[in-house]
Amino acid sequence: MPRFDPLDPGLRARREAVDALFKPWTLIGASGSHLEAQLMTRAAITAQLDRMLGSCVTPAEVMDLVESRKERCLLVLVDSIAPDHGEALINQLRVLPRPPAVLLLLESTAWLQVNAYPLDRVDAVVKTQSFGSGVLIEALMAVNRGHRYVDPALLYALKANSRGNQPQLTPREQQTLEELAQGLTNREIAQRLGIAETTTREYTRSVLQKLNARNRTMAVGAAMKLGLLLQHSRQDGAGR
């Protein structure tokens, strides 16, 4: 006998309750992982959520799907897209004439510390470890009422983050800063991080702006004073 019998009355009742929460929405999934995106799509097919348009792995795909609809969509966003695209994507979505409601599934609270997402522009945020405690249903109910929702398990991390006064760098910006401290060029940094040189320039410009620095030397000095870098000199990495 299958573990999940589609004819089981309890399973059917739970599915109908969840379906009712999703019913008002056209759904779009977004993840930084092709595997996660595929699993989201398969889950939607299995659950017969015919109002799900698809799952995306790039900001361009998200924007194309959102802008293709006249009605307001619900974007289920997995935090694995955060290192490169989270903040910029949310900001792009919020200036649309009809921005989607955004439900962020957050696995790591590190994204809160680095401000990879502007959480004040997210409609609901749920920690994935809270699944099974009812918070996802509470989040969907809140969004359906037009309210914001924050998983109670995340409130402490959010309060701790709000007390910080130092500039908050994304993971990629932090990596770029560490390479800048070694005196590397944009091309060398791009090769180390496996990204385009033009992308490295953008990260460098963002680092300088956040640290209120006119050049790289000033940025490294400011970062060391703020504790964003270990106290190493360029000579420390000269033999690498």
Side-chain angles (χ1 to χ4, degrees), residues 32-77:
S33 162
H34 287 274
L35 177 59
E36 285 179 349
Q38 179 68 9
L39 289 174
M40 292 171 72
T41 300
R42 291 183 66 84
I45 293 173
T46 302
Q48 299 178 341
L49 291 174
D50 54 0
R51 291 179 63 81
M52 184 165 185
L53 296 182
S55 295
C56 312
V57 293
T58 69
E61 291 175 347
V62 174
M63 297 299 292
D64 284 345
L65 281 185
V66 171
E67 292 182 305
S68 72
R69 309 299 296 188
K70 293 182 180 180
E71 73 274 17
R72 193 179 185 214
C73 301
L74 173 62
L75 175 63
V76 181
L77 195 64

Side-chain angles (χ1 to χ4, degrees), residues 82-83 85-88 90 110-118 168-171:
H85 307 302
E87 181 177 11
I90 295 297
W111 301 132
L112 301 180
Q113 272 72 49
V114 300
N115 282 342
Y117 285 98
Q168 302 297 318
L169 304 181
T170 69

Side-chain angles (χ1 to χ4, degrees), residues 8-207:
D8 177 72
L11 178 61
R12 185 169 62 249
R14 290 192 296 273
R15 189 180 74 180
E16 289 174 354
V18 173
D19 287 349
L21 293 172
F22 282 117
K23 188 176 181 180
W25 301 100
T26 297
L27 299 173
I28 298 173
S31 168
S33 162
H34 287 274
L35 177 59
E36 285 179 349
Q38 179 68 9
L39 289 174
M40 292 171 72
T41 300
R42 291 183 66 84
I45 293 173
T46 302
Q48 299 178 341
L49 291 174
D50 54 0
R51 291 179 63 81
M52 184 165 185
L53 296 182
S55 295
C56 312
V57 293
T58 69
E61 291 175 347
V62 174
M63 297 299 292
D64 284 345
L65 281 185
V66 171
E67 292 182 305
S68 72
R69 309 299 296 188
K70 293 182 180 180
E71 73 274 17
R72 193 179 185 214
C73 301
L74 173 62
L75 175 63
V76 181
L77 195 64
V78 181
D79 68 353
S80 56
I81 205 171
D84 296 313
H85 307 302
E87 181 177 11
L89 176 57
I90 295 297
N91 289 335
Q92 280 183 283
L93 291 168
R94 285 310 180 203
V95 298
L96 292 176
R98 191 180 295 272
V102 178
L103 168 60
L104 173 62
L105 304 181
L106 197 69
E107 180 177 0
S108 171
T109 56
W111 301 132
L112 301 180
Q113 272 72 49
V114 300
N115 282 342
Y117 285 98
L119 292 186
D120 59 321
R121 297 189 175 191
V122 173
D123 298 272
V125 55
V126 172
K127 193 175 182 182
T128 55
Q129 288 90 337
S130 298
F131 283 9
S133 64
V135 294
L136 185 56
I137 290 177
E138 291 176 5
L140 288 169
M141 292 175 64
V143 172
N144 287 352
R145 293 193 299 265
H147 300 160
R148 292 189 69 245
Y149 180 87
V150 177
D151 185 340
L154 295 170
L155 290 177
Y156 177 80
L158 284 170
K159 289 178 181 178
N161 189 46
S162 66
R163 291 195 294 266
N165 295 318
Q166 68 181 31
Q168 302 297 318
L169 304 181
T170 69
R172 284 294 199 189
E173 289 170 347
Q174 180 66 37
Q175 289 177 318
T176 301
L177 173 62
E178 291 170 0
E179 301 299 345
L180 289 176
Q182 299 301 325
L184 300 183
T185 65
N186 284 337
R187 177 174 297 181
E188 291 169 332
I189 295 173
Q191 290 174 345
R192 283 202 178 190
L193 300 185
I195 58 179
E197 187 175 348
T198 54
T199 304
T200 301
R201 282 200 294 268
E202 289 299 321
Y203 288 139
T204 300
R205 182 161 42 245
S206 180
V207 168

Side-chain angles (χ1 to χ4, degrees), residues 216-227:
R216 298 175 177 220
T217 301
M218 289 182 62
V220 171
M224 286 184 173
K225 290 179 181 178
L226 292 169

